[in-house]
């Protein structure tokens, strides 16, 4: 049984466009010195930069004992004395608003700071000790229950 296909109006225009593209594609590729463009390998972006660890620390500013909140000046002094000596090559600080459930189950909302540190993977063991000292020192100095930490792998290129 023969198949009959009737093309009218929009279907005819669509079929003509598809045919033109099918016929024109080899010509377009021939214009590129006879080589078809190849997609970039998936690893192209993965090979850029060096392997690093990216650590984010989250510092709250409200004190559970009801004392005054940590000020910008106090936090920056803490960074200058406790963080910068161990990470003199650079760091990033962002201000934010955060919330978390404290040890008693209360949801606390507070002004916060996010500290971002980047360091070579080969230095992870040594830097881990420094980061844990920073967390502990902040908790003690400002009566904090916790300083959040997030570690991730990164490829970094400066």
């Amino acid at each position: 049984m023969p198949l009959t296909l009737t093309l009218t109006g929009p279907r005819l225009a669509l079929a003509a466009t598809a045919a033109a593209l099918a016929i024109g594609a080899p010509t377009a590729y021939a214009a590129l010195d006879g080589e078809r463009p190849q997609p970039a390998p998936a690893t192209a972006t993965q090979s850029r930069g060096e392997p690093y660890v990216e650590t984010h620390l989250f510092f709250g500013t409200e004190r559970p004992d009801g004392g005054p909140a940590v000020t910008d000046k106090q936090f920056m002094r803490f960074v200058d004395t406790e963080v910068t000596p161990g990470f003199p090559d650079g760091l990033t600080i962002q201000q934010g608003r955060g919330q978390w459930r404290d040890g008693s189950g209360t949801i606390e909302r507070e002004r916060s700071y996010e500290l971002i540190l980047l360091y070579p993977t080969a230095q992870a063991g040594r830097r881990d000790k420094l980061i844990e000292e920073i967390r502990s020192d902040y908790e003690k100095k400002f009566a904090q229950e916790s300083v959040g930490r997030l570690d991730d792998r990164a490829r970094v290129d400066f």
Side-chain angles (χ1 to χ4, degrees), residues 83-120:
V83 180
T84 301
F87 295 89
D89 294 334
L91 52 88
T92 299
I93 298 168
Q94 299 184 77
Q95 291 188 23
R97 299 282 310 163
Q99 87 176 33
W100 74 300
R101 187 181 310 271
D102 68 15
S104 68
T106 303
I107 294 179
E108 301 287 342
R109 292 178 178 91
E110 59 189 322
R111 187 174 49 82
S112 60
Y113 297 96
E114 178 182 13
L115 174 67
I116 304 168
L117 304 167
L118 296 170
Y119 46 94

Side-chain angles (χ1 to χ4, degrees), residues 3 18 20 43 49 52 64 67 70-71 97 106 132-133 148:
L3 177 65
T43 58
Y52 269 61
V70 178
T71 66
R97 299 282 310 163
T106 303
E132 288 307 302
E133 288 175 13

Side-chain angles (χ1 to χ4, degrees), residues 59-75 77 97 109-113 138 141-144:
F59 300 88
T61 58
E62 298 296 320
R63 298 181 196 231
D65 61 8
V70 178
T71 66
D72 286 341
K73 186 175 181 177
Q74 289 171 315
F75 185 77
R77 187 175 20 221
R97 299 282 310 163
R109 292 178 178 91
E110 59 189 322
R111 187 174 49 82
S112 60
Y113 297 96
Y138 189 84
K141 184 173 183 94
F142 297 109
Q144 296 293 299

